[in-house]
Amino acid sequence: MKKLFIKTYGCQMNVYDSARIADSLAPLGYSAADAPEDADIVVLNTCHIREKAAEKVYSELGRLRRLKERRAEEGSRMLIAVAGCVAQAEGEEIVRRQNAVDIVVGPQSLHRIPEMIARVERREGRALETDFVPDEKFDSLPASRAEGPAAFLTIQEGCDKFCTFCVVPYTRGAEFSRPVPQILGEAQRLVDAGVREITLLGQNVNAYRGKGPCGGVWNLARLLHHLAEIYGLERLRYTTSHPCDMSDDLIAAHRDLEKLMPYLHLPVQSGSDRILDAMNRRHGRDHYLRLVERIRSARRDIALSSDFIVGFPGESDEDFEQTLTLVREINYAQAYSFKYSSRPGTPAAAARKQIPDDVKSARLQSLQGLLSAQQHAFAKSCEGLEMSVLFERRGRKPGQAVGRSPYLQPVHVDDAEHLIGMIHNVIIARALPNSLGGTLAGARPKAVAVH
Ligand code: SAM
Ligand code: SF4
C-alpha cells in the first residue's frame, strides 16, 4: 500500500479539492499518511490569497527536499507535488527554484494528478499542468465522499469580478458553474452516506448559473429549493457570496426554506464608498446596508459574517472610520479581517499610495477589537436559547460530543456521544471564548434554531 500526505492551505474550496485528490489516488493504492515522513507522495495544495503565500510554500519545499534526499539515501523514492493557486500563479518558476518538485498542477487540472504521477513514476521527467478546463475537472474527479455528517460540495469556481486586490480571477480563472444534475447527484450520494448538512462552495457562489436538467439555466435560489427536497438532508449553507449577486429570489429562499441555515457570510471589505470604488467592488456602502435590511426582514433570526481588508492603498483615517461605523451599524455575529497585502499582477499592487505596515496593524487591531466584542455579545445572546445542533465528533471529555449550531458555532454537550451524526436540540448554557456549552433539550429534535 502506498502512502499519500496532503497539506492543505487556505479556504474550504481547497479542503474540498484535497479530499478529491485523495479520492482520485485511492484506486492507485494510495492511502493517507499521518506525516510527510511516511508518505510516498507529498502534495502541497496551496492558496495564493495572502502575502508571502508563495514564500511559505518555497520554505516548506526546502524542508521536503531534505526529506526526499534522506529517503533517497535509504533507498526509497518520495514524490513532491505542488497543487492549487500558487502552482497556477508560479508555474515553471516552482521547478526552477526548487528542482526537487516532480509535479506542478493548477486547481483546474487536479483530475490529471493520477496520470501525472504515472508519468513521473515511469521516469518521464517532471509533469506540469496549468490549463483552465473546469468542466473537465469536475467530470473526471471522483464525487465527494462523506466523512462525517457535514460535507462541502463545490458548485462554482472562478470569478469574473476582478476586485483590484484579488488574485482569484487569475489563479482560478473565469466563472464556471457545475451542471445541476451533477450537483443533485453528488448531494444525494452524500445524504445516502449519512450527510445531514451540505455547504455549497464557490468563490462567488451566489453568481451560480448552472445548466438545468432540461436545458435552461438555474440560479442558486432554484438549486437550493431542489436540494431542500432531498429527504434526509436537514441543513443547507452556501459560501462565499458577493453582495451584488444577492438576487430577490435568493433572499426569498432565506424566508421560505427552513433547511437554509440562518447564517450568511456576506463580505463587504470596507465601509467607505471611495475605497469600495477603488476596490472595484461594484456597490457602495448604502447598497450593502439596504441589502442587509432586506435580508433581515426576510429572515429575522439571520446572523451575518463578513470579510474586511484594512490598509487598502489610499485608505485614509476617515475611510477606516467608515468601516468601523458600518460594523457598528450591522452588528456581525462573526467576521474575518486582514491587512491588505499586495498580490503581484493585481491592479492595487501598482497603486502609489500604499499604507505603512504600522498603520495597517493599528487599524487591524482596532477593527478586530470591535468585531470580537460583537462576536462575544452574539454568543452571550444565545445563552438560554434552545438551538438545533448537528453533532459531528467526540469532545475532549468522555461522553461529550461537539456539534454546530445553526450559526456555525461549535457547541459542546456532555453525554451526547450517542448523537454523533444526528441533529438534536440543545439548551445553550454558556458562551465560551470560541464556542458554546449546553445540555440536551428534552424536546424532540427540530431542524432550525428558535432564536
Ligand atoms: N469572493 C469573496 C468576496 O467577494 O468577498 C472572497 C473570496 S477571497 C478568496 C477571501 C477573502 O480574502 C476576501 O474576502 C478578502 O477579504 C481577502 N483577500 C483577498 N485578497 C486579499 C489581499 N490582497 N489582501 C488582503 N486580503 C485579501
Ligand atoms: Fe476575489 Fe471575491 Fe472579488 Fe472575485 S469577488 S475578485 S473572488 S474578492
Side-chain angles (χ1 to χ4, degrees):
M1 193 73 167
K2 290 184 266 185
K3 292 280 188 185
L4 161 75
F5 183 84
I6 306 182
K7 179 167 179 172
T8 306
Y9 300 77
C11 66
Q12 291 139 332
M13 295 194 66
N14 269 10
V15 174
Y16 179 91
D17 280 348
S18 290
R20 300 294 72 69
I21 295 172
D23 292 346
S24 71
L25 292 179
L28 303 189
Y30 283 93
S31 65
D34 294 329
E37 287 73 14
D38 307 325
D40 300 287
I41 173 158
V42 176
V43 180
L44 302 182
N45 191 13
T46 60
C47 167
H48 203 240
I49 279 291
R50 266 168 288 283
E51 206 165 15
K52 304 203 179 89
E55 290 317 307
K56 281 183 196 150
V57 170
Y58 284 118
S59 68
E60 182 69 31
L61 286 174
R63 280 192 287 277
L64 289 175
R65 179 208 181 98
R66 289 190 286 282
L67 180 60
K68 184 174 179 162
E69 286 167 353
R70 276 207 305 280
R71 292 279 294 275
E73 282 161 19
E74 292 160 13
S76 68
R77 188 163 185 221
M78 184 184 108
L79 301 189
I80 301 176
V82 182
C85 293
V86 172
Q88 186 69 41
E90 298 274 298
E92 282 180 27
E93 176 70 7
I94 295 187
V95 181
R96 214 182 49 73
R97 279 185 61 176
Q98 183 47 273
N99 67 9
V101 173
D102 302 284
I103 291 169
V104 177
V105 54
Q108 309 303 354
S109 306
L110 297 178
H111 56 291
R112 303 228 171 107
I113 290 187
E115 161 210 329
M116 293 168 88
I117 293 177
R119 258 157 47 202
V120 174
E121 278 178 341
R122 287 198 303 270
R123 304 198 186 257
E124 289 174 12
R126 293 194 183 87
L128 191 136
E129 297 277 1
T130 48
D131 290 349
F132 281 120
V133 270
D135 44 353
E136 198 183 294
K137 165 183 170 180
F138 286 111
D139 284 344
S140 315
L141 277 177
S144 49
R145 275 187 302 127
E147 282 167 22
F152 294 129
L153 201 172
T154 294
I155 64 165
Q156 182 275 337
E157 275 215 79
C159 183
D160 298 339
K161 294 273 189 301
F162 290 92
C163 299
T164 54
F165 53 81
C166 184
V167 286
V168 167
Y170 310 96
T171 57
R172 292 261 175 178
E175 272 175 20
F176 167 79
S177 296
R178 293 177 70 188
V180 172
Q182 219 180 63
I183 295 167
L184 295 179
E186 189 163 331
Q188 184 65 60
R189 279 191 295 278
L190 287 168
V191 173
D192 292 344
V195 165
R196 296 289 162 259
E197 172 179 307
I198 292 180
T199 302
L200 305 177
L201 298 179
Q203 261 96 23
N204 216 330
V205 73
N206 58 344
Y208 177 80
R209 298 273 179 283
K211 213 194 259 171
C214 312
V217 172
W218 287 28
N219 65 9
L220 181 60
R222 188 161 177 201
L223 181 67
L224 284 165
H225 274 275
H226 278 257
L227 286 166
E229 281 168 18
I230 296 180
Y231 179 77
L233 178 58
E234 302 292 342
R235 290 173 154 200
L236 283 165
R237 306 179 187 275
Y238 61 92
T239 197
T240 293
S241 296
H242 192 288
C244 292
D245 292 312
M246 284 305 294
S247 62
D248 291 346
D249 51 356
L250 186 54
I251 296 174
H254 281 277
R255 179 194 62 212
D256 300 335
L257 295 177
E258 215 194 343
K259 291 183 179 180
L260 189 53
M261 290 294 97
Y263 182 74
L264 179 63
H265 185 59
L266 192 62
V268 64
Q269 315 295 353
S270 166
S272 152
D273 279 335
R274 221 174 55 82
I275 297 299
L276 286 170
D277 192 39
M279 286 176 164
N280 190 30
R281 290 292 289 179
R282 301 156 190 245
H283 68 82
R285 173 193 175 96
D286 270 359
H287 173 98
Y288 186 83
L289 289 171
R290 275 186 283 112
L291 177 62
V292 167
E293 234 173 71
R294 284 168 53 222
I295 297 167
R296 282 182 167 154
S297 38
R299 177 101 196 211
R300 69 181 169 78
D301 61 344
I302 203 157
L304 291 171
S305 111
S306 181
D307 292 342
F308 293 93
I309 295 178
V310 300
F312 183 82
E315 186 189 66
S316 64
D317 287 343
E318 293 72 40
D319 291 318
F320 177 62
E321 190 52 39
Q322 292 276 300
T323 297
L324 295 180
T325 59
L326 179 129
V327 170
R328 286 193 199 100
E329 215 165 310
I330 301 279
N331 196 11
Y332 288 98
Q334 215 270 120
Y336 301 94
S337 43
F338 314 101
K339 287 198 261 188
Y340 167 73
S341 82
S342 157
R343 312 309 299 125
T346 59
R352 272 188 299 116
K353 287 195 183 157
Q354 299 291 331
I355 305 295
D357 195 58
D358 56 336
V359 176
K360 287 187 201 170
S361 300
R363 289 181 186 165
L364 188 66
Q365 205 183 357
S366 97
L367 177 61
Q368 288 187 338
L370 176 59
L371 290 169
S372 62
Q374 292 189 345
Q375 181 176 349
H376 186 63
F378 179 72
K380 283 302 265 182
S381 76
C382 296
E383 286 182 353
L385 296 183
E386 185 173 327
M387 282 186 184
S388 75
V389 170
L390 171 59
F391 288 100
E392 293 181 7
R393 58 184 169 86
R394 290 201 180 107
R396 282 213 202 106
K397 289 203 278 174
Q400 192 185 58
V402 186
R404 294 269 178 185
S405 77
Y407 308 109
L408 268 186
Q409 300 140 300
V411 184
H412 298 258
V413 182
D414 290 343
D415 303 322
E417 208 181 323
H418 59 291
L419 292 171
I420 290 174
M422 290 186 246
I423 292 177
H424 201 289
N425 275 16
V426 169
I427 312 282
I428 303 302
R430 61 205 167 278
L432 306 162
N434 291 306
S435 62
L436 302 173
T439 53
L440 291 178
R444 283 192 56 75
K446 285 192 211 152
V448 287
V450 182
H451 190 64

